[in-house]
């Protein structure tokens, strides 16, 4: 009888691809305090009760309070992912009415999230205005005249414009929405909380920035630049958030106790300030890590390899990517070990590494397999050396 080997459910991976938010490998690496909070919430917890009165409470209340403090919004909620957040917002606030959106904002974020289809699924209609590259305020005004009851703005997460491109600023659209008496819904997607321009990384609009500018609702992913567990987070006006919470879909999309605990722990880190966030949130720490620190890990890996293997490896400069459909223009300069195996071919080496314990994922390029050390933690270097030595010998 054949022995069927069943892969371990979600075996651990060393991500040497250099893609910080690798969707295939689980996007954000969670901070230690978040992992602990999620584990601590595994037994009985104060989930939907009020400790003082003993009455039934609302599970989202602690999260809502914390996210309001951190982002400056009036209220907030969280659901399973950002796709769910957008679906919920459209279902609760627009359907069966119309929403106005620029043609240039009708985006697709990874196969199954295509805005026109999400609109259809939520039961709302849309009025697409402007041209593929250019949309003006007058176009939105025209769309509103056709009976739209909301303005929808989608962040260009996974692509950028080159050449002729124009659109009204968020401030202009907020002003238009206010005058027309309709809400402005902003799908910010990537959900950057901090401005990283000091490190040469342009994250575009931050969550706090969008709230401050007056977007009525802002939704974003928990596991992209926010750096937490998979979730969709919505912040904004309290009356709108309440409508979302009272919509029947919310019940189908709501989060469990571990996830809520994890998100609250994330917000505690952000509340403690930028400095702490940049150290404790691995996604952010990896994005801003200076390349000499990465080079030190490359050199340590080389030192740990047996001599005959070192001969097949070279230290090389490389660029890593934020990934996860975020910041497509950003390239982060760093260092990698480029491996050129002599006894086996490249594909065989990649296969052996993937089948290792832990499973190691690198990047094939030309005649080499690149192990980008930006996304490999200090504590993983020794293990990586072990898996590589075994695979190549
Ligand atoms: C990533 C993204 C989504 C989907 O978010 P998930 O959390 O992956 O469901 C939706 N809209 C935008 C603009 C995004 O960047």
């Amino acid at each position: 009888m054949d022995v069927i080997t069943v892969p371990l459910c979600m075996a651990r991976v060393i991500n040497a691809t250099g893609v910080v938010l690798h969707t295939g490998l689980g996007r954000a690496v969670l901070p230690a305090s978040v992992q602990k909070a999620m584990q601590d919430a595994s037994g009985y917890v104060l989930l939907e009760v009020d400790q003082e009165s003993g009455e039934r409470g609302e599970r989202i209340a602690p999260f809502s309070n914390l996210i309001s403090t951190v982002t400056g919004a009036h209220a907030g909620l969280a659901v399973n992912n950002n796709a769910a957040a957008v679906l919920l917002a459209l279902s609760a606030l627009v359907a069966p009415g119309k929403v106005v959106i620029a043609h240039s904002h009708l985006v697709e974020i990874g196969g199954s999230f295509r805005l026109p289809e999400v609109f259809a699924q939520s039961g709302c209609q849309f009025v697409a205005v402007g041209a593929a590259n250019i949309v003006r305020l007058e176009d939105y005004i025209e769309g509103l005249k056709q009976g739209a009851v909301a303005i929808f703005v989608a962040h260009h997460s996974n692509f950028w414009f080159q050449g002729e491109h124009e659109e009204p600023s968020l401030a202009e659209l907020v002003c238009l929405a206010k005058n027309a008496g309709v809400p402005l819904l902003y799908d910010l997607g990537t959900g950057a909380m901090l401005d990283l321009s000091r490190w040469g990384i342009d994250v575009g609009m931050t969550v706090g920035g969008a709230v401050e500018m007056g977007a009525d609702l802002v939704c974003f992913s928990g596991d992209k630049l926010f750096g937490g567990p998979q979730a969709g987070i919505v912040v904004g006006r309290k009356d709108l958030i309440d409508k979302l919470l009272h919509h029947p879909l919310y019940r189908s999309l709501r989060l469990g106790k571990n996830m809520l605990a994890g998100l609250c722990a994330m917000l505690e880190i952000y509340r403690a300030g930028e400095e702490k966030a940049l150290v404790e949130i691995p996604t952010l720490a990896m994005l801003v890590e200076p390349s000499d620190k990465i080079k030190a890990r490359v050199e340590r890996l080389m030192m740990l390899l047996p001599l005959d293997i070192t001969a097949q490896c070279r230290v090389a400069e490389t660029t890593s990517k934020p990934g996860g459909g975020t910041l497509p223009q950003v390239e982060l300069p760093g260092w990698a070990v480029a491996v050129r195996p002599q006894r086996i071919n490249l594909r065989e080496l990649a296969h052996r590494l993937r089948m290792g314990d832990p499973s190691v994922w690198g990047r094939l390029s030309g005649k080499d397999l690149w192990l980008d050390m930006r996304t490999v933690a200090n504590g993983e270097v020794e293990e990586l050396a072990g898996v590589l030595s075994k695979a190549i010998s």
Side-chain angles (χ1 to χ4, degrees), residues 41-253:
S42 299
Y44 293 124
V45 291
L46 295 170
L47 179 64
E48 275 189 6
V49 288
D50 183 64
Q51 191 170 18
E52 198 138 291
S53 65
E55 304 285 318
R56 191 73 184 252
E58 171 47 68
R59 69 167 61 190
I60 205 70
F63 171 82
S64 185
N65 289 338
L66 262 173
I67 191 110
S68 304
T69 310
V70 172
T71 64
H74 292 297
L77 60 77
V79 287
N80 185 51
N81 55 21
N82 190 38
V86 173
L87 181 68
L88 176 62
L90 292 167
S91 306
L93 304 177
V94 184
K98 291 183 200 157
V99 65
V100 57
I101 181 168
H103 274 116
S104 54
H105 287 203
L106 284 169
V107 296
E108 171 174 319
I109 314 276
S112 55
F113 186 88
R114 265 188 157 186
L115 273 181
E117 287 156 26
V118 178
F119 289 143
Q121 188 60 43
S122 72
C124 76
Q125 298 165 55
F126 65 96
V127 186
V129 297
N133 58 333
I134 293 184
V135 59
R136 301 195 177 86
L137 207 55
E138 301 88 85
D139 297 319
Y140 281 97
I141 294 172
E142 208 44 55
L144 287 171
K145 279 194 193 138
Q146 290 179 42
V149 296
I151 297 177
F152 194 95
V153 178
H155 183 64
H156 304 147
S157 304
N158 57 356
F159 70 103
W160 72 92
F161 286 100
Q162 200 165 27
E164 207 74 14
H165 170 237
E166 195 184 314
E167 60 182 51
S169 67
L170 183 60
E172 286 175 295
L173 289 175
V174 163
C175 192
L176 176 64
K178 290 240 179 322
N179 288 336
V182 302
L184 183 138
L185 316 179
Y186 190 9
D187 177 13
L188 185 50
T190 52
M193 299 286 283
L194 304 178
D195 175 7
L196 301 180
S197 52
R198 256 192 294 153
W199 291 271
I201 302 171
D202 178 6
V203 297
M205 183 72 73
T206 60
V207 176
V211 169
E212 196 181 326
M213 290 195 108
D216 296 286
L217 273 194
V218 182
C219 42
F220 57 99
S221 296
D223 55 355
K224 292 187 183 170
L225 296 177
F226 182 76
Q230 178 189 303
I233 299 172
V234 190
V235 295
R237 263 167 53 190
K238 175 136 183 24
D239 60 323
L240 301 182
I241 293 286
D242 282 343
K243 280 192 185 161
L244 268 57
L245 288 174
H246 292 122
H247 190 277
L249 252 189
Y250 172 67
R251 172 63 193 243
S252 318
L253 305 173

